[in-house]
Amino acid sequence: MSERLQPGDTAPAFTLPDADGKEVSLADHKGRKVIVYFYPAALTPGCTKQACDFTDNLELLAGAGYDVIGISPDQPEKLAKFREKENLKVTLLADPDKKALDAYGAFGEKKNYGKTYMGVIRSTIVVDEGGKVERALYNVRATGHVAKIIKDLGV
């Protein structure tokens, strides 16, 4: 399990396939602010709520200079189904090897009903135009999280 990121850290670089299998890198967004959010699994209730909330607020965030990228350990094919079923507009990236999840501290030990296991820690990292971490939020709730980010960022 890697260290959690802190504001001021350089955001780890990544290049991952999107829902269509096209490679997308953090570097593609240089000069723009990027909200990178990590979620456990496509097509699950909490992750669907969060992805729909980001999609519903995408124009508002884009207007304030933010791009939004969602990353999960799912395969691109599952992400494509997720995007189609829920009519999602956010960029969804596949990280089945969990390299980006690990680099961002979004994969690690979790507890659920008294059991400890390794899994995706629902996290949101805001990266500034220069590639530095502006905010690092871990163990966030799926519901209400997007509204909170918008409020915190003053969008």
Side-chain angles (χ1 to χ4, degrees):
M1 184 170 124
S2 59
E3 289 292 304
R4 291 186 169 186
L5 297 175
Q6 301 294 324
D9 289 350
T10 298
F14 59 78
T15 301
L16 298 167
D18 69 6
D20 300 313
K22 187 177 136 274
E23 299 276 298
V24 175
S25 300
L26 181 61
D28 298 342
H29 298 267
K30 196 142 182 73
R32 297 226 358 124
K33 296 178 193 169
V34 187
I35 296 171
V36 183
Y37 78 97
F38 297 90
Y39 62 98
L43 299 167
T44 58
C47 298
T48 298
K49 173 83 179 107
Q50 190 178 21
C52 288
D53 282 353
F54 270 120
T55 292
D56 292 346
N57 289 286
L58 204 55
E59 275 184 42
L60 177 70
L61 289 164
Y66 290 93
D67 294 338
V68 178
I69 298 173
I71 300 178
S72 74
D74 297 306
Q75 295 292 338
E77 302 77 33
K78 188 173 178 188
L79 297 179
K81 276 190 198 128
F82 187 33
R83 181 185 62 199
E84 303 315 314
K85 181 174 187 276
E86 302 299 338
N87 201 16
L88 301 173
K89 303 284 183 249
V90 294
T91 301
L92 300 174
L93 301 184
D95 187 17
D97 299 333
K98 302 176 185 70
K99 286 191 173 90
L101 283 156
D102 238 5
Y104 279 78
F107 188 83
E109 205 171 87
K110 294 175 70 167
K111 281 184 172 46
N112 199 11
Y113 301 114
K115 289 198 180 353
T116 301
Y117 61 98
M118 296 300 280
V120 175
I121 298 161
R122 193 181 300 277
S123 312
T124 301
I125 311 299
V126 180
V127 181
D128 70 15
E129 301 91 334
K132 296 269 188 226
V133 174
E134 194 176 292
R135 292 167 193 264
L137 310 163
Y138 292 94
N139 294 312
V140 300
R141 296 239 169 264
T143 305
H145 177 61
V146 174
K148 184 181 178 338
I149 286 178
I150 289 168
K151 184 174 173 267
D152 290 353
L153 295 174
V155 174

